[in-house]
Amino acid sequence: MKSKKKTIFIYSGEGTHHNETRFKFLQRSLRWSTIEKILDTKLGLNLEHLWENEIGRHRCPHSPLLTTVAEICLADIWGQWGYEPDIVVGHSTGELAAAYQAGLYSLEEVLLLAYGIGEVAVNLDGMMLHGRLSDTQIADLQVNLSSLNFTVDADKYVTISDYKDAIEAFLDENPNFVKMQLPHPWHHPDYRRFSDQLASFPSAKIKDGVFLSGVTTRFETHLEDDYWSRWLVQPIDFIQTMVTLKNKIDVPLDIIEIGFHPVLEKCCEIFDRYSYASSMFRGEDEAKWILNQRKKLDQDSLLENLKQTIAAFRPNLDFDTPLAYQGFGSLEFTELSTILEPYFPSLAPQDFYRYNTINLLIQRFGTERSVERSARQTYRKNKVVISAMSCRFPSAVETPAQFWEMLLSKKDQVKQLPGRGGDEAGFLNDTATRFDHQYFGIPPAEAHTMDPQQILALELTEMLWRDAGIDPETLDRKRVGVYLGVWNQEYQGDRSSVFYPTGTNPSIIASRISYHYDLRGPSWVSNTACSSSLVAIHYALRDIESGRIDYAIAGGVNMLIDEVFTKNMSSSGFLSKDNRCKVFDNSANGYVRGEGGGLVLLANKSLADKYYVELVGSAVNQNGRRSQLLTAPDPSAQEELIEEACDDAGIRPQDIAYLECHGTGTKIGDPIEISAIKNTVAKDRKDPVYVGSVKSNIGHLESAAGIAGVIKSIAILSHGLIPPNLHFHHANEFIGFESQNIRVVAENTAIEPSACIGISSFGFGGTNAHIIVRGVETSVRKEIKPVAIPFDRERGASLSQYLRLLEPEASSANADLQLLQTKEEISEKIFTREDIVQLVENLFAQLTSIQEIDPDIELTDQGLDSLSGTELIAQLEKTLNVELDPDILFDFPLPDQFIGEVYALATGLQN
């Protein structure tokens, strides 16, 4: 029969804390706040101030108190995880916390006792050493023996203490001994002179076999009144104490050292069958260390506690299935992170996008190493610069110079415009959207069937050549490529027109540029949603580096043509209800759409005399199946992406001074992005890294979002100034910017013109891109200047003919007429309740792959997420010809409730 394991808490002594030991992790203990109150009311001490001023100095009267406080809190944290000790044993000062854990004293009594011991200890100044001695040397010792710690071969490892002169004389003869930081000679016989100063507290009686004394080396059921006076003046024989423990127990052990730093592991080697874990390690992150140590121990108690906690929150949760497939969204992740945080210190909602199942969380949280930088095989490649740029951004920006002035103005460009539907967005104004198709010789009949993004791309290309000062006719046309980010085909077009196929196909947007300017290099459209334009730049860079081409037009365009699509995006939960990208702010709730576009001209550096920046590195990757959902971000992928881009650039992540973030302004997405930055760019750096997002100024330009960030970054390096992020008032509650050495740019901030800037874009299908630009020296740096606009806006086609806006609400009379028509249409089909049940079951199976609906669990808890829930409602409306409230799933969550309401509404239309 398998022997049952026992858990031993072994408390270390006074010498392990240091001035970098932090109390933040200890505040996770349920005891911390109670201790604060006791110290305030009984001793007039503020625990946090005391810690900041005294930790690591080892000065009495406070040092024993801080040691006891820390060990009580650490033991409590282990207890919250299910590790309750069968036996406790303390080494020196560690006996105080052990006595409390055993139940010999109340919390108040042990704290006052620890402080009282400190008040006595302050009377003697001295020094302490530790080292190795033989039994003969110990017998002839001329200084005070404080403790016998463990046996090494035939010798013993000991701690000695005495007055300064005696210790220094001993050290001259025994240079192999090591000085300790303690300024008081603990366990010294001279403390007898002050023993009457130590107040005594009668101990409670406890059961036998729980508390093992380092003073008596026996198990004790209560302590005599003079116990601590004896403790002060006699050596601690920890060797015999551990022998007593070994003789008492003949089962496997989980030994947990409770203390600031592992110093007692050698003492445990006396046992044959044991696992050992420590609670802290000097200089290491407290949470990561203890979670790694927890892996060494038996997990049964932890898992049982964890399962009970999760079951109380969500019964029947599958630990191996991604949480998103079990109906979890940002709200549920927030709730679950709060519930599980005691088991996984610092757990935040965004962590469930890194660990998408409960079992992955258990296995990997806090124990994963950051992305390892691999040795990258290098090859000779052409250097690439950005020698020109053009842009059209909300609301009236038509040149990079105007863009910079807009950024400095700190004015939000998101607004509602007449004729553009009912929502606010980052719209181009009426002037900026009067596209001059005639400038390019496009006849009106063709222009009126073309996606406006095609004409916008042509205009941006013309402005690009003008900024470059290059006549494209002079170039080798085979050596110029076009790489354009486009994502959504919102323009519906005229199906009756012969120009319909070329007018609406997204691939034609790049082809228009190649055709008009007779460019014969690669020409293609990148569609990876929000990362489209950065992905386009990445591949343009690669083609110039490899020598395939000399120049590349790269960037992206995005126009808001279809109000219906915007409404659908809002219904799916992507868009902000108050139409702002409040990046990194605690009120972040989604993004607001924006339109416009931008291009850069990439050139082989050897062909450019003047240029804005060097394009030094880039990377593209995919989340794969690591993310919770197809559309969810993945922090591990983002970390790998930044590392790969830095490898490509030949720099360290810490060399990046500013990050133009993807930063859409979502409550969970922003912390995920910051967590990846924390583990890469912000890691091990002295100065903070600055972050921001142009989306706070102009909205999210989707397929043109990345290029907007690139042009902003070029302007930053050109002017040596980072403009402020808008809508940042209170930091997102799931981001600790200060502790992570990351700063949101809240005011104009200087930056070196030669600095490196990283720009990120993440597509909602999981394709991520990051590029790195570096400023250049003054002699070759190109100045951003105004560029004349050649287009005739008066003859330009108005955008209104391209828009698909929602129709104004019909009058009540028309609505009644429509209702009658609907009733007439469905009069031949009478839906029974069984019909509704079958319909819901079929749709549910199609949307979730779950064949049987559990009648006792809410539909949204059975795998129905926001997207599939929206689709379920839409399909029911279409099939039953009935209008359903979007919140019906939440108002009637149980299957019978939901089906009953749908049935009532459907039959109500028929009666």
Side-chain angles (χ1 to χ4, degrees):
M1 182 176 177
K2 186 179 177 182
S3 300
K4 184 180 179 182
K5 268 192 172 185
K6 285 189 178 292
T7 300
I8 311 296
F9 279 10
I10 181 170
Y11 295 77
S12 58
E14 182 62 16
T16 55
H17 59 80
H18 62 119
N19 56 12
E20 293 183 4
T21 305
R22 294 164 290 185
F23 62 78
K24 185 176 180 181
F25 177 74
L26 300 177
Q27 288 179 310
R28 301 179 183 282
S29 165
L30 303 177
R31 302 284 180 268
W32 180 271
S33 59
T34 307
I35 292 171
E36 280 187 311
K37 293 175 183 176
I38 292 171
L39 297 189
D40 181 37
T41 57
K42 296 298 181 180
L43 297 173
L45 297 174
N46 181 291
L47 180 53
E48 291 189 13
H49 292 168
L50 180 64
W51 191 286
E52 290 168 355
N53 292 323
E54 294 295 334
I55 198 69
R57 304 182 75 172
H58 303 283
R59 300 186 309 183
C60 288
H62 301 118
S63 188
L65 177 62
L66 292 177
T67 299
T68 303
V69 167
E71 293 184 340
I72 288 172
C73 291
L74 285 172
D76 179 54
I77 290 169
W78 283 105
Q80 291 178 48
W81 296 340
Y83 296 97
E84 294 290 349
D86 298 292
I87 298 171
V88 296
V89 54
H91 184 287
S92 186
T93 314
E95 277 208 82
L96 289 159
Y100 165 72
Q101 181 77 42
L104 290 163
Y105 301 104
S106 69
L107 184 57
E108 180 179 313
E109 288 171 341
V110 81
L111 294 174
L112 295 178
L113 180 58
Y115 189 71
I117 287 174
E119 288 186 306
V120 173
V122 78
N123 288 292
L124 295 183
D125 290 329
M127 295 176 62
M128 299 190 75
L129 307 174
H130 60 78
R132 179 172 173 172
L133 293 174
S134 67
D135 288 339
T136 301
Q137 289 172 311
I138 293 172
D140 296 335
L141 199 60
Q142 299 301 306
V143 291
N144 179 62
L145 177 67
S146 285
S147 66
L148 297 162
N149 301 320
F150 55 86
T151 300
V152 182
D153 299 326
D155 295 338
K156 292 181 173 61
Y157 196 88
V158 302
T159 304
I160 61 174
S161 68
D162 219 312
Y163 299 109
K164 184 177 180 181
D165 292 344
I167 289 294
E168 288 181 343
F170 176 88
L171 195 56
D172 288 340
E173 296 179 7
N174 299 272
N176 59 315
F177 268 67
V178 178
K179 281 186 179 181
M180 300 175 70
Q181 297 179 358
L182 305 179
H184 307 288
W186 288 97
H187 308 293
H188 196 284
D190 283 0
Y191 280 120
R192 288 192 179 93
R193 293 184 284 154
F194 313 103
S195 59
D196 60 341
Q197 297 177 12
L198 182 61
S200 63
F201 295 91
S203 82
K205 288 191 175 183
I206 60 173
K207 68 179 182 179
D208 191 20
V210 174
F211 177 81
L212 179 56
S213 166
V215 175
T216 68
T217 70
R218 302 189 306 267
F219 283 94
E220 303 291 349
T221 58
H222 75 285
L223 302 181
E224 301 294 340
D225 290 351
D226 67 344
Y227 181 86
W228 297 101
S229 296
R230 288 188 286 140
W231 176 92
L232 269 170
V233 300
Q234 72 179 60
I236 299 299
D237 189 349
F238 209 66
I239 295 175
Q240 182 55 47
T241 300
M242 298 300 279
V243 170
T244 300
L245 182 59
K246 181 178 181 180
N247 293 336
K248 173 79 171 179
I249 297 175
D250 187 26
V251 296
L253 303 177
D254 270 346
I255 301 176
I256 302 175
E257 181 171 343
I258 308 293
F260 297 97
H261 188 74
V263 293
L264 301 178
E265 186 171 7
K266 292 291 290 184
C267 305
C268 302
E269 291 180 359
I270 189 174
F271 301 108
D272 299 319
R273 296 174 294 166
Y274 72 98
S275 300
Y276 167 86
S278 59
S279 302
M280 285 183 170
F281 193 97
R282 191 177 298 127
E284 293 291 330
D285 179 273
E286 291 87 352
K288 287 184 179 179
W289 177 262
I290 199 169
L291 290 175
N292 270 287
Q293 293 293 298
R294 192 171 73 183
K295 296 284 186 185
K296 298 179 178 181
L297 305 175
D298 190 294
Q299 302 284 298
D300 289 348
S301 297
L302 170 68
L303 294 177
E304 185 59 34
N305 282 17
L306 189 59
K307 288 176 181 177
Q308 291 178 9
T309 301
I310 292 174
F313 171 68
R314 182 67 62 85
N316 303 318
L317 193 68
D318 190 327
F319 280 30
D320 286 314
T321 301
L323 295 170
Y325 294 138
Q326 300 184 69
F328 277 72
S330 58
L331 178 60
E332 291 80 11
F333 286 143
T334 301
E335 294 174 344
L336 186 57
S337 68
T338 301
I339 290 167
L340 297 186
E341 204 269 349
Y343 298 95
F344 305 99
S346 75
L347 180 69
Q350 61 267 24
D351 289 316
F352 291 110
Y353 292 82
R354 186 186 298 268
Y355 315 104
N356 61 4
T357 71
I358 293 296
N359 276 339
L360 277 179
L361 180 73
I362 294 169
Q363 294 163 15
R364 299 181 185 176
F365 182 83
T367 64
E368 290 186 313
R369 293 182 178 271
S370 58
V371 177
E372 296 291 337
R373 300 187 70 189
S374 59
R376 185 173 180 270
Q377 202 170 21
T378 59
Y379 62 94
R380 185 175 179 180
K381 57 185 182 181
N382 296 317
K383 293 184 177 180
V384 179
V385 298
I386 295 178
S387 61
M389 53 185 176
S390 62
C391 65
R392 192 82 60 82
F393 294 139
S395 62
V397 169
E398 296 190 76
T399 67
Q402 293 174 356
F403 182 42
W404 181 248
E405 291 300 318
M406 183 272 289
L407 291 174
L408 291 181
S409 74
K410 305 179 185 178
K411 292 182 179 178
D412 185 357
Q413 301 302 307
V414 174
K415 60 188 72 173
Q416 187 174 9
L417 287 183
R420 297 303 303 273
D423 294 316
E424 292 182 301
F427 292 118
L428 298 177
N429 68 10
D430 183 59
T431 300
T433 55
R434 286 189 169 273
F435 301 121
D436 187 3
H437 58 86
Q438 294 185 49
Y439 181 89
F440 301 96
I442 300 172
E446 182 175 5
H448 293 164
T449 64
M450 286 171 55
D451 186 338
Q453 293 176 132
Q454 293 185 24
I455 307 175
L456 172 60
L458 284 171
E459 291 192 352
L460 288 172
T461 306
E462 181 66 18
M463 295 294 289
L464 188 70
W465 292 127
R466 289 171 180 263
D467 186 56
I470 293 175
D471 179 356
E473 294 287 334
T474 65
L475 300 178
D476 182 347
R477 293 177 175 87
K478 295 180 181 178
R479 308 280 301 170
V480 183
V482 179
Y483 306 76
L484 212 61
V486 182
W487 86 298
N488 198 42
Q489 188 178 341
E490 292 194 27
Y491 178 56
Q492 301 297 302
D494 180 1
R495 289 181 176 272
S496 64
S497 170
V498 295
F499 297 111
Y500 172 77
T502 56
T504 57
N505 193 296
S507 69
I508 300 299
I509 300 176
S511 299
R512 284 280 181 191
I513 296 172
S514 299
Y515 174 79
H516 183 79
Y517 293 102
D518 194 18
L519 306 177
R520 302 170 190 179
S523 180
W524 56 273
V525 161
S526 159
N527 180 2
T528 56
C530 308
S531 59
S532 297
S533 57
L534 281 200
V535 170
I537 292 173
H538 167 80
Y539 286 104
L541 169 65
R542 290 291 179 268
D543 279 354
I544 297 178
E545 285 179 334
S546 67
R548 185 180 181 189
I549 56 175
D550 297 325
Y551 297 93
I553 297 168
V557 292
N558 191 56
M559 291 297 299
L560 309 185
I561 304 298
D562 187 356
E563 191 183 9
V564 175
F565 180 79
T566 299
K567 294 293 185 186
N568 289 339
M569 288 286 285
S570 181
S571 298
S572 297
F574 291 103
L575 304 188
S576 165
K577 292 181 179 179
D578 41 9
N579 300 309
R580 292 295 182 277
C581 289
K582 293 167 286 187
V583 186
F584 309 129
D585 194 79
N586 201 43
S587 62
N589 58 0
Y591 78 82
V592 61
R593 301 188 74 200
E595 65 183 358
L599 298 176
V600 288
L601 184 65
L602 276 55
N604 186 322
K605 184 179 178 180
S606 66
L607 301 176
D609 296 325
K610 293 277 187 177
Y611 42 88
Y612 291 118
V613 296
E614 283 192 66
L615 183 49
V616 293
S618 69
V620 168
N621 74 0
Q622 236 285 340
N623 295 340
R625 291 185 62 186
R626 290 177 289 189
S627 56
Q628 282 282 359
L629 291 168
L630 174 67
T631 57
D634 181 76
S636 300
Q638 294 177 21
E639 291 171 18
E640 292 170 5
L641 178 79
I642 293 172
E643 292 281 1
E644 289 167 8
C646 290
D647 281 342
D648 186 57
I651 66 171
R652 300 174 308 126
Q654 293 78 12
D655 294 330
I656 293 176
Y658 170 75
L659 274 160
E660 176 63 22
C661 295
H662 181 62
T664 54
T666 60
K667 198 63 173 285
I668 303 300
D670 289 354
I672 289 174
E673 183 169 11
I674 292 297
S675 74
I677 294 170
K678 171 192 171 185
N679 291 334
T680 53
V681 180
K683 184 180 180 182
D684 299 329
R685 65 185 295 143
K686 295 180 180 178
D687 300 322
V689 59
Y690 291 98
V691 297
S693 172
V694 73
K695 295 176 181 67
S696 69
N697 305 89
I698 60 177
H700 186 355
L701 269 61
E702 296 163 340
S703 51
I707 188 63
V710 170
I711 294 174
K712 174 186 171 183
S713 299
I714 293 171
I716 286 171
L717 292 172
S718 296
H719 295 281
L721 191 71
I722 311 172
N725 220 56
L726 303 187
H727 311 305
F728 181 70
H729 305 293
H730 303 287
N732 188 308
E733 63 187 294
F734 303 123
I735 304 176
F737 284 109
E738 293 297 324
S739 64
Q740 296 174 1
N741 210 15
I742 301 170
R743 304 288 184 274
V744 178
V745 179
E747 57 187 18
N748 288 342
T749 302
I751 187 174
E752 286 294 325
S754 59
C756 288
I757 291 179
I759 304 107
S760 292
S761 281
F762 311 133
F764 76 165
T767 297
N768 311 301
H770 188 86
I771 73 167
I772 300 171
V773 296
R774 180 166 58 207
V776 297
E777 58 189 33
T778 307
S779 60
V780 294
R781 186 186 306 137
K782 184 174 178 178
E783 184 181 350
I784 298 176
K785 295 181 178 179
V787 179
I789 299 169
F791 312 117
D792 185 347
R793 299 301 185 205
E794 295 301 319
R795 71 182 182 186
S798 171
L799 192 66
S800 60
Q801 63 184 330
Y802 298 98
L803 300 177
R804 188 166 78 116
L805 303 180
L806 292 170
E807 294 294 329
E809 291 185 12
S811 67
S812 58
N814 288 338
D816 290 340
L817 177 61
Q818 182 62 41
L819 182 62
L820 290 173
Q821 292 172 340
T822 301
K823 180 179 178 180
E824 194 68 27
E825 290 171 3
I826 65 170
S827 60
E828 303 212 356
K829 173 62 177 176
I830 304 298
F831 290 98
T832 66
R833 184 181 177 88
E834 288 69 28
D835 291 332
I836 306 295
V837 169
Q838 188 63 51
L839 177 60
V840 170
E841 288 179 346
N842 290 342
L843 288 171
F844 196 86
Q846 293 171 23
L847 294 169
T848 67
S849 299
I850 295 174
Q851 301 302 316
E852 293 185 9
I853 299 175
D854 191 320
D856 300 318
I857 298 178
E858 296 177 4
L859 287 169
T860 53
D861 289 342
Q862 297 190 60
L864 207 61
D865 59 26
S866 59
L867 294 178
S868 55
T870 301
E871 183 63 15
L872 174 66
I873 300 303
Q875 290 295 332
L876 288 171
E877 287 181 325
K878 180 179 179 181
T879 305
L880 301 174
N881 222 337
V882 62
E883 184 176 347
L884 301 176
D885 189 314
D887 291 331
I888 187 173
L889 277 169
F890 301 96
D891 294 336
F892 304 91
L894 291 174
D896 282 346
Q897 294 174 338
F898 176 78
I899 290 169
E901 182 64 10
V902 172
Y903 174 70
L905 291 171
T907 54
L909 281 175
Q910 298 174 35
N911 293 329

